[in-house]
Amino acid sequence: LISAGIDDRLAKHVAHLFIRDPLTIFEGQTDLDNTTTTDHFENIQSTNWNTVRLKPPPFKSDIGWRVEFRSMDIQLTDFENAAFAILVVLTSRIILAYRLNLYIPMSKVDSNMATAHERDAVREQKFFFRRNIFHDATIQPPDSFLCSCGRIHHPEYNWDFDFACNQNSEPNAFELMSLDEIFNGKEFYTDSERDPGFAFPGLIPLVKAYLYAIKVEGFTLKKITRYLDFVSARASGELVTLAAWMRMYVSSHEKYEKDSVVSEEICADLIEILHDIEKGNQACPELFGSFYPCNGAPEVCKHSVERILTADVPEESALLHGQSMSHSAMHRAFESIVAHQKK
């Protein structure tokens, strides 16, 4: 690969994909011309199950290079799925806009994955994350960025604390942080009773500053902020995860005998209440607080859809800069949802 002119890091990445045999083989795709198709490569590439995956352009395509986020699990409700999907999209935007550097050693990524499997890891565990995520080893967030729309935008940061970094921080240092600190930020303490360590801006405050910079306003901003605040509350531990909630439900069930045996009756009751929560017929403030719009009121979902349908937005304007779905396309999608509800 290197002798063919491939960049050293990319060559090493591709070589690492071929340290094992493919997990799957498709009938009719064993004898192929590798000069005209990339199916053999994709057979290896598609079974690379890391948290992110580099995706080269398909053969004879102008799609371009992509990075695929692969770390999320499907959630109980559409609301949660939408919240995490929107956060991932906006995180990709701030990586590009602020030129963030999130590199940490792969050994620390593996350690984070192991830590994530610990019970109540969101509230009890810490994860390796890079201290200084801003480019050129600067320690402050940028005061402007060049957007894909061709304009210079100026973010407005709004931390609940005075953001200041340790000037002596090693540019490439990484540190153990709670998910609350990673998502919501970490203050630089100046009193003698606490180790000042370092400050961290938090991903969600950076996303909100980005939304301000590109002038997302009105109903769209309110809707996105609701999703971001929900994820913020989950990361801080204010709201429990579904795993924690299910453990609490089972352990407090009248039929549970504290013997680690989850009976068929308990399972049936658990599935029934989860179904009711997902449908919006059962409130669950431990999981959603006041964020989930369908708690005990299915009509609220329909009302939210109707507000989008009647929003005063130009026909072909994008809801976010760079978003591929125009408002008219989104409008048609919500119309089909409303039509389905009326059946």
Side-chain angles (χ1 to χ4, degrees):
L1 291 172
I2 293 177
S3 64
I6 304 298
D7 173 85
D8 177 70
R9 288 190 177 184
L10 180 58
K12 186 176 293 185
H13 167 73
V14 174
H16 284 170
L17 295 177
F18 286 83
I19 63 174
R20 54 175 170 77
D21 293 329
L23 295 179
T24 58
I25 292 293
F26 295 99
E27 184 178 358
Q29 292 190 330
T30 55
D31 187 15
L32 301 173
D33 183 357
N34 289 322
T35 64
T36 60
T37 178
T38 58
D39 286 349
H40 277 162
F41 169 77
E42 289 298 338
N43 204 27
I44 292 284
Q45 163 82 346
S46 64
T47 52
N48 169 30
W49 298 109
N50 290 329
T51 52
V52 294
R53 184 174 73 180
L54 182 66
K55 301 186 72 174
F59 189 70
K60 291 185 178 180
S61 169
D62 59 357
I63 289 179
W65 293 78
R66 295 152 292 163
V67 174
E68 181 181 43
F69 286 78
R70 302 168 62 87
S71 55
M72 292 193 301
D73 291 325
I74 192 169
Q75 304 297 307
L76 174 64
T77 64
D78 289 343
F79 174 79
E80 294 165 283
N81 289 325
F84 289 115
I86 285 173
L87 178 63
V88 167
V89 170
L90 291 174
T91 299
S92 72
R93 301 293 170 80
I94 65 171
I95 290 173
L96 296 174
Y98 301 144
R99 297 171 60 193
L100 300 184
N101 182 352
L102 303 179
Y103 287 146
I104 61 171
M106 278 301 300
S107 60
K108 301 306 178 186
V109 176
D110 293 338
S111 176
N112 285 346
M113 290 298 291
T115 301
H117 288 84
E118 297 290 334
R119 178 176 294 187
D120 206 15
V122 171
R123 293 191 288 186
E124 301 295 334
Q125 301 297 326
K126 292 191 174 184
F127 300 83
F128 288 104
F129 211 79
R130 190 182 179 90
R131 281 191 183 187
N132 174 31
I133 60 176
F134 300 114
H135 68 92
D136 297 333
T138 58
I139 58 175
Q140 296 294 342
D143 56 9
S144 64
F145 62 86
L146 177 63
C147 182
S148 58
C149 68
R151 299 176 182 175
I152 298 293
H153 295 288
H154 300 275
E156 181 174 294
Y157 304 103
N158 184 25
W159 284 283
D160 293 332
F161 52 86
D162 293 331
F163 180 73
C165 285
N166 184 347
Q167 299 290 336
N168 298 320
S169 177
E170 166 62 36
N172 294 317
F174 50 87
E175 192 65 62
L176 285 169
M177 302 187 209
S178 67
L179 289 188
D180 184 22
E181 293 168 337
I182 293 171
F183 281 89
N184 298 319
K186 179 183 184 297
E187 185 174 359
F188 179 76
Y189 301 119
T190 57
D191 59 81
S192 59
E193 295 182 0
R194 291 180 288 187
D195 178 15
F198 61 97
F200 188 76
L203 297 178
I204 290 179
L206 290 177
V207 166
K208 289 183 175 181
Y210 171 81
L211 295 174
Y212 172 86
I214 63 174
K215 302 188 185 310
V216 177
E217 299 173 336
F219 177 72
T220 300
L221 179 62
K222 184 177 180 180
K223 190 75 172 177
I224 294 175
T225 300
R226 185 180 183 89
Y227 287 134
L228 296 177
D229 289 344
F230 165 73
V231 177
S232 173
R234 277 278 177 93
S236 70
E238 176 186 344
L239 299 177
V240 301
T241 64
L242 179 60
W245 185 87
M246 289 194 295
R247 284 194 298 270
M248 291 188 294
Y249 177 85
V250 171
S251 63
S252 61
H253 195 281
E254 61 179 7
K255 298 295 184 179
Y256 181 61
E257 299 181 359
K258 316 300 181 186
D259 55 0
S260 298
V261 176
V262 182
S263 66
E264 184 175 331
E265 182 178 358
I266 297 175
C267 285
D269 290 344
L270 176 61
I271 294 299
E272 182 177 354
I273 193 170
L274 289 176
H275 179 267
D276 287 341
I277 292 171
E278 190 274 331
K279 291 297 182 183
N281 298 323
Q282 171 69 49
C284 190
E286 301 90 348
L287 275 174
F288 302 108
S290 60
F291 290 105
Y292 187 32
C294 295
N295 276 347
E299 285 299 312
V300 177
C301 283
K302 180 180 177 182
H303 179 63
S304 297
V305 170
E306 290 173 346
R307 286 187 61 188
I308 294 175
L309 291 175
T310 58
D312 185 19
V313 180
E315 178 69 8
E316 292 303 326
S317 64
L319 298 178
L320 286 175
H321 289 276
Q323 183 167 318
S324 59
M325 180 176 284
S326 66
H327 184 266
S328 60
M330 186 71 78
H331 190 280
R332 290 191 295 272
F334 279 116
E335 279 186 329
S336 66
I337 294 173
V338 171
H340 177 74
Q341 288 181 335
K342 290 180 179 178
K343 290 182 179 180

